[in-house]
Amino acid sequence: MKLALILPNLPPARCGVYDYSMKLHELWPKSPEWVLISSCHGAGWPGSSFLQVKREGESLCRALAELKPDAVILQYTCYGYAENGVPRWLADGLEHFKKQCPARLAVMFHELWYTGPLWTRARWRKSSQHAVARRLCATADVTLAGV
């Protein structure tokens, strides 16, 4: 089994997404082939390979299509994939990929959107962040959300 794990940054920094991904890897019942995908340059943990993509839907779709994974897992934090918190490129790439390939897609939401004070600029991006989250949910075979 080949798993493609999309992460916001590599080399991984100690944070919720990285710690969660490592636990997922450690506790997986049968050791599949893990391919870590990120828009940042880096390397993964021992036993995994790394693939760098551009923050463009076409780049992500092309990489996944060439990889031909059995399953794709997206570890989602909106600000991890876009400075403005609206990573439309992820939704674009995964929508196109799912049309081409029968691979299963799981989206693990660590952060859906920003919910801060009304006067912050990030608060005004909330509707755009909602739209990306809805697209990812519609594309995914399964979604999980942490609290």
Side-chain angles (χ1 to χ4, degrees):
M1 175 182 228
K2 186 185 292 187
L3 288 177
L5 183 63
I6 304 170
L7 295 166
N9 50 2
L10 286 171
R14 287 284 169 189
C15 66
V17 174
Y18 174 65
D19 293 335
Y20 187 85
S21 299
M22 281 299 295
K23 282 292 179 205
L24 192 64
H25 179 258
E26 290 169 8
L27 299 174
W28 201 268
K30 185 178 175 186
S31 184
E33 180 184 344
W34 289 73
V35 181
L36 308 179
I37 299 173
S38 180
S39 60
C40 301
H41 178 70
W45 50 75
S48 66
S49 56
F50 169 69
L51 183 61
Q52 186 175 8
V53 296
K54 295 177 183 173
R55 286 185 173 191
E56 300 170 354
E58 185 179 317
S59 176
L60 178 61
C61 180
R62 186 174 42 250
L64 289 169
E66 289 174 13
L67 189 60
K68 296 182 178 130
D70 298 298
V72 178
I73 301 171
L74 169 62
Q75 298 286 357
Y76 184 78
T77 63
C78 59
Y79 283 98
Y81 295 101
E83 289 179 23
N84 66 1
V86 186
R88 288 184 188 95
W89 68 272
L90 275 175
D92 293 344
L94 290 171
E95 285 170 350
H96 286 71
F97 172 69
K98 285 291 289 177
K99 289 176 185 173
Q100 301 174 23
C101 183
R104 307 275 294 162
L105 171 63
V107 179
M108 297 180 175
F109 290 101
H110 297 268
E111 172 187 87
L112 289 166
W113 49 75
Y114 180 80
T115 56
L118 190 59
W119 58 85
T120 61
R121 184 173 54 162
R123 174 68 178 242
W124 297 101
R125 293 190 178 111
K126 187 175 175 182
S127 63
S128 298
Q129 292 169 344
H130 281 188
V132 171
R134 280 194 298 272
R135 287 176 63 196
L136 291 171
C137 286
T139 305
D141 295 294
V142 64
T143 59
L144 297 115
V147 294

